[in-house]
């Protein structure tokens, strides 16, 4: 979809392992949840497979009848354990600045619980013009359409599915669980090593000088 005066640029970004390295904070939260519930959780394994909905991961450790309560408790513990150790990934601030330098808007479309995602952005000093949470794969695509995003940047195969569902350019960064070849094979239109390469790619995509 071309960017025109009638369809201003909006770029969507995933959060975990795209804009932020949330692995240390998520690991700390799972360790706290494990200690509190007495349930063994391999937190090191958990952080290798971030992306799908929280409840999908918790099903690996808790019975179905406990899931609703455990999801709520995890989200509460997250606020105590996750923000301080989380850092912006290389190029994250510059990527958002690049969108705005082209007169565009930034929409963060994430699977994370939206209130916690908002706090993450505030803690990292990242400003989003729009935020939508609790989404995964095609439901991310629905949010991208709603916000008029023509590009979606993410690290997961589910992010590629979301971008394609929305008819947006799927830009994949190899900062998450998948390497460049896996991302290309899943249908990414563009694969970047990380967000440091995004400003130059965006300038080329829009046909402007860097």
């Amino acid at each position: 979809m071309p960017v025109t005066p009638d369809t201003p640029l909006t770029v969507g970004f995933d959060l975990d392992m795209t804009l932020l390295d949330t692995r240390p904070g998520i690991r700390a939260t799972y360790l706290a949840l494990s200690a509190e519930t007495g349930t063994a959780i391999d937190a090191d394994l958990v952080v290798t497979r971030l992306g799908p909905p929280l409840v999908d991961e918790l099903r690996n450790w808790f019975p179905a009848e406990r899931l609703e309560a455990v999801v709520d408790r995890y989200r509460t513990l997250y606020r105590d354990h996750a923000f301080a150790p989380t850092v912006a990934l290389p190029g994250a601030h510059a990527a958002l600045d690049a969108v705005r330098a082209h007169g565009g808007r930034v929409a963060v479309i994430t699977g994370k619980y939206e209130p916690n995602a908002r706090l993450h952005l505030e803690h990292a000093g990242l400003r989003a013009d729009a935020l939508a949470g609790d989404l995964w794969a095609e439901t991310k695509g629905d949010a991208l359409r709603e916000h008029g995003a023509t590009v979606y940047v993410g690290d997961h195969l589910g992010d590629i599915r979301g971008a394609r569902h929305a008819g947006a350019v799927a830009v994949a960064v190899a900062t998450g669980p998948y390497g460049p070849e896996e991302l290309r094979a899943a249908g990414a239109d563009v694969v970047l090593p990380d967000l440091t390469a995004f400003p130059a790619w965006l300038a080329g995509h829009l046909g402007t000088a860097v």
Side-chain angles (χ1 to χ4, degrees), residues 46-91:
V46 168
V47 297
T48 68
R49 55 192 188 196
L50 303 181
L54 171 63
V55 70
D56 288 2
E57 181 59 52
L58 289 172
R59 282 194 185 99
N60 295 311
W61 314 104
F62 295 92
E65 63 272 16
R66 295 186 64 189
L67 282 175
E68 184 175 355
V70 171
V71 165
D72 288 343
R73 187 57 186 152
Y74 173 93
R75 288 171 170 170
T76 299
L77 288 170
Y78 196 92
R79 298 188 175 202
D80 295 327
H81 296 277
F83 301 130
T86 293
V87 296
L89 283 163

Side-chain angles (χ1 to χ4, degrees), residues 9-28:
L9 174 68
T10 298
V11 178
F13 289 87
D14 175 48
L15 187 66
D16 293 279
M17 301 313 300
T18 299
L19 290 172
L20 299 177
D21 185 350
T22 51
R23 291 172 298 183
I26 290 173
R27 181 180 184 276

